[in-house]
Amino acid sequence: IQWCLYYPGVLDLDELPLPPEAAALLEASRAAYRSGDLLAALAHYPSDRPPVSPAEKVYLAALVLAVGQVDLAEELIQSVEQSADRDSRSAALATALRQLIATVKLQPSAATRNPQLSTALLAESYYLQSQYHRDRRDHLEAALAAAREAVNRSTNFAFGWARVAELEFSFGRIHAAR
């Protein structure tokens, strides 16, 4: 049933350290991603291009994850995590994607509890929501706080703003959601 699970966009492209030549080559894909069209973003990714840098592997992992290709996403994430520069920004972004996978699969989260990047904060928001129980409303409040912090750190992060609106609406705050 894995193909029907929901893997939302959580990657903030402003945090992705793509080399300039890769950024230029992937501009159409990145533009589609920024507009929220993950299918078009994947369609515009050159099918004959293997990802070269860790950042490009993270980007491709985010794209294939959005269409349910979890195994390929995990391979790409693992490749980034096993690279020599495990403390890099790309590795932190890969860890955020791994946390999203764990969240959707209802597995324990592998992420740290002190996310610094807006991508990691958004993944944390989904994780916290997955921990919600009727008698523990504080998980939803914490999920909203994490999403708000994501957009405070990256004000142009559309997936973050959509998440804030979604959570505000879940509390019945329609004006705030708008």
Side-chain angles (χ1 to χ4, degrees), residues 129-141:
Q129 182 181 5
S130 76
Q131 302 301 301
Y132 171 75
H133 302 286
R134 252 190 286 207
D135 57 335
R136 295 284 315 267
R137 182 179 171 113
D138 59 325
H139 285 287
L140 283 182
E141 291 286 357

Side-chain angles (χ1 to χ4, degrees), residues 20-81:
E21 61 280 355
L25 179 69
L26 300 174
E27 187 52 42
S29 176
R30 293 169 58 234
Y33 186 93
R34 284 188 193 279
S35 73
D37 191 343
L38 299 176
L39 293 176
L42 182 57
H44 287 298
Y45 190 95
S47 61
D48 59 343
R49 178 182 172 83
V52 179
S53 68
E56 193 174 346
K57 289 177 183 178
V58 168
Y59 179 61
L60 183 57
L63 293 180
V64 299
L65 187 58
V67 297
Q69 295 180 16
V70 180
D71 292 339
L72 177 55
E74 288 180 321
E75 287 175 27
L76 291 162
I77 291 166
Q78 184 174 12
S79 172
V80 172
E81 291 174 340

Side-chain angles (χ1 to χ4, degrees), residues 68-150:
Q69 295 180 16
V70 180
D71 292 339
L72 177 55
E74 288 180 321
E75 287 175 27
L76 291 162
I77 291 166
Q78 184 174 12
S79 172
V80 172
E81 291 174 340
Q82 291 177 343
S83 70
D85 194 15
R86 282 178 270 183
D87 295 328
S88 71
R89 178 169 285 217
S90 294
L93 295 170
T95 299
L97 293 179
R98 183 172 297 290
Q99 181 181 27
L100 182 64
I101 294 169
T103 298
V104 173
K105 290 182 171 184
L106 297 176
Q107 297 172 339
S109 173
T112 63
R113 297 273 76 43
N114 187 19
Q116 298 298 310
L117 299 174
S118 58
T119 297
L121 285 159
L122 200 57
E124 176 76 359
S125 175
Y126 283 104
Y127 174 75
L128 289 166
Q129 182 181 5
S130 76
Q131 302 301 301
Y132 171 75
H133 302 286
R134 252 190 286 207
D135 57 335
R136 295 284 315 267
R137 182 179 171 113
D138 59 325
H139 285 287
L140 283 182
E141 291 286 357
L144 177 56
R148 281 186 182 141
E149 182 59 26

